[in-house]
Amino acid sequence: MLSVAVVGSGPSGVYTAQALLQQSLVPDVRVHVLDRLPTPYGLVRYGVAPDHEKIKSLQNSLRTVLEDERVTFVGNVGVGGAEGVSPARLAELYHAVVYCVGASADRPLAVPGESLPGSYSATRFVSWYSAHPDIGADPFALDARSAVVIGVGNVAVDVARILARGADELRTTDVPRAALSALEASRVRDVHIVGRRGPSQARFTTKELRELGALPGARVVVDPAELALDPAYAAADGLPGSLPLPAVVRRNLEVLRGWSAGGAGTGATGAGAAAAGPVRRIRLRFFLRPVELLERGGRVAGVRFARTAPDGAGGVLDTGAYEDVEAQLVLRAVGYRGVELPGLPFDPVRGTVPHAAGRVLRGGVASPGEYVAGWIKRGPTGVIGSNRSCAKETVASLLEDAPALTRRTAADDPLAVLREWGLRPVEWAGWLSIERAEAELGRSLGRGPVKIPDWAGLLAAARDENA
């Protein structure tokens, strides 16, 4: 038997487990999927916006893998931290360990004033409205009139959409009570989405972009002068002598062109707006680089931007002009970054674990039985589906090594050993108990399932024998 631990139960971890189940080279495989949280699914549960129900439904396919009799979900087991188990000790229990721990940190702006109250990472905001237990019920005071979201990717669009969406529209989702109450009382009326480069270099997908224009009670505003600064904007099929524009860029520019002209994509401002409350404006801004967060009364009061312009080589340069944008709430969404896992080698420049086709490298040499997959392997790139091929490559390397790996000793009952070491694993039955508790919480509020937002509540639900 080949005994494998997969650390992380998000898409990359579950796809790794799935690839191990589907291969035929080693017919007898046992997979334990470990997670620091008592809940599975990773970013699908805690990173996908609550109003994106189609994407969240991916949990159903991940669930099928985790319910396979050859797979055991082992939640509430940290790896590499002070209260968890070290990679060296974990390696004693399994023939192989695959680390699929993602990229949990956000990239800072590195500008003065970034640490002012009212300035947060978009990652923290997403975790708050997704009920991540590390954030808990820590409130975001949405008494700001104006919010600035720095970044032009899908995460930026997600947080802007949640800020601009009426609370009544989110009541049918699993958004936690505290977040729903705060969004219901929100005073935010202007949401600025700001990028330092032009619209042709924005990273959002057209579907996400169009959703902004479909929000009841919201109006999208785009400055045609900023669009015109982009050399690709006026060229429907690309610049002379250059490759054609990618299809997603062409579609994005078409949507932005319609909004800048005041077309049908400017949002609903009729009966739908009246039902949703005061009209909110979403302003898409380009060619603005943040240089400082401004302070008033000990809190963030705005963002000073340097006006940029294309440099002719795909980048931008400062023009010497500046613009201040009022904001009492600033969310940075400029990318994720991997975090070092104590006990594993780490490349601080790339934010990844050094590897060769998924094999962890220690001192440039493959470390027997240690592997990586997902963002900690390749960096925060691609979409959810990209993790499937990434996992398959890693599993192919593991299977090549399997004859040597299975000659090593593995624990007959790794969970029993973990308990001896003082850990309290939450298995699949515990997760099902959490699901029932969240369904009951939702029923008590007249809603569908509502997420439990704190560690104590999750662990109590997991161990409730009468649930």
Side-chain angles (χ1 to χ4, degrees):
M1 173 184 287
L2 175 64
S3 175
V4 181
V6 174
V7 181
S9 66
S12 62
V14 177
Y15 290 152
T16 297
Q18 184 179 50
L20 285 164
L21 299 183
Q22 292 177 340
Q23 56 80 33
S24 57
L25 293 176
V26 182
D28 194 5
V29 177
R30 176 183 65 186
V31 183
H32 284 185
V33 178
L34 280 62
D35 203 294
R36 184 178 69 87
L37 300 175
T39 57
Y41 310 136
L43 277 179
V44 178
R45 176 175 166 91
Y46 291 118
V48 175
D51 58 344
H52 275 179
E53 295 182 4
K54 184 175 181 181
I55 301 176
K56 289 175 73 69
S57 68
L58 176 63
Q59 293 183 15
N60 296 329
S61 60
L62 301 182
R63 184 187 196 101
T64 299
V65 178
L66 293 174
E67 288 185 330
D68 189 285
E69 61 182 6
R70 295 165 290 176
V71 175
T72 301
F73 173 69
V74 187
N76 195 39
V77 172
V79 176
E83 299 179 358
V85 55
S86 70
R89 296 194 80 185
L90 192 63
E92 299 172 8
L93 307 183
Y94 301 91
H95 294 124
V97 181
V98 186
Y99 293 91
C100 307
V101 292
S104 58
D106 64 283
R107 293 183 180 275
L109 297 173
V111 300
E114 186 172 10
S115 61
L116 283 168
S119 168
Y120 305 94
S121 70
T123 304
R124 185 173 184 84
F125 188 64
V126 170
S127 294
W128 171 70
Y129 67 62
S130 298
H132 196 294
D134 286 348
I135 303 298
D138 184 19
F140 271 81
L142 299 180
D143 53 357
R145 298 180 304 278
S146 176
V148 167
V149 182
I150 299 173
V152 283
N154 281 345
V155 173
V157 173
D158 274 350
V159 298
R161 189 182 66 255
I162 294 298
L163 284 169
R165 188 182 282 286
D168 284 344
E169 302 166 62
L170 293 170
R171 204 174 303 279
T172 59
T173 72
D174 61 5
V175 68
R177 287 180 291 178
L180 187 64
S181 296
L183 290 165
E184 192 168 31
S186 172
R187 295 176 56 202
V188 175
R189 294 295 172 260
D190 283 290
V191 182
H192 307 258
I193 305 175
V194 188
R196 65 184 179 90
R197 298 196 289 181
S200 67
Q201 295 170 307
R203 296 298 183 91
F204 37 63
T205 58
T206 309
K207 179 181 180 296
E208 291 258 0
L209 186 62
R210 284 175 175 154
E211 286 179 343
L212 295 178
L215 291 174
R219 180 171 181 266
V220 181
V221 180
V222 181
D223 185 348
E226 290 183 347
L227 298 184
L229 289 173
D230 193 325
Y233 177 69
D237 298 316
L239 298 174
S242 70
L243 295 174
L245 293 175
V248 65
V249 173
R250 291 200 311 273
R251 291 193 297 266
N252 286 347
L253 294 179
E254 289 170 4
V255 173
L256 294 169
R257 186 177 289 111
W259 287 340
S260 70
T266 54
T269 57
V279 174
R280 291 181 172 92
R281 287 172 295 274
I282 302 173
R283 303 176 185 269
L284 283 157
R285 305 294 308 276
F286 300 98
F287 294 110
L288 292 171
R289 181 178 66 83
V291 294
E292 182 182 0
L293 271 60
L294 307 175
E295 178 267 340
R296 184 184 302 121
R299 292 185 56 84
V300 67
V303 184
R304 177 159 294 161
F305 291 97
R307 168 64 68 183
T308 65
D311 64 2
V316 293
L317 48 80
D318 289 351
T319 65
Y322 294 88
E323 178 179 340
D324 292 351
V325 176
E326 176 194 357
Q328 297 79 38
L329 174 65
V330 176
L331 300 172
R332 63 181 181 271
V334 292
Y336 292 98
R337 181 174 176 78
V339 176
E340 182 175 5
L341 192 71
L344 280 185
F346 187 70
D347 181 343
V349 176
R350 295 175 56 86
T352 57
V353 171
H355 72 93
R359 296 179 176 93
V360 171
L361 299 178
R362 292 182 179 270
V365 178
S367 177
E370 292 187 311
Y371 304 85
V372 284
W375 280 3
I376 200 63
K377 170 187 173 184
R378 67 182 193 276
T381 61
V383 296
I384 289 176
S386 306
N387 292 295
R388 195 182 295 273
S389 57
C390 176
K392 287 182 177 179
E393 179 191 53
T394 295
V395 168
S397 296
L398 191 159
L399 293 174
E400 286 180 14
D401 303 339
L405 295 175
T406 51
R407 289 196 289 270
R408 300 166 50 181
T409 301
D412 292 331
D413 188 351
L415 265 67
V417 178
L418 291 174
R419 292 189 181 96
E420 289 174 4
W421 290 348
L423 299 171
R424 299 185 66 190
V426 171
E427 297 182 59
W428 192 250
W431 159 240
L432 295 181
S433 183
I434 292 172
E435 279 194 318
R436 290 191 293 270
E438 292 184 336
E440 178 55 36
L441 175 60
R443 280 193 294 270
S444 72
L445 299 171
R447 298 169 55 189
V450 172
K451 287 179 180 174
I452 297 171
D454 60 282
W455 276 96
L458 288 170
L459 292 176
R463 298 185 173 114
D464 185 356
E465 296 179 358
N466 298 317

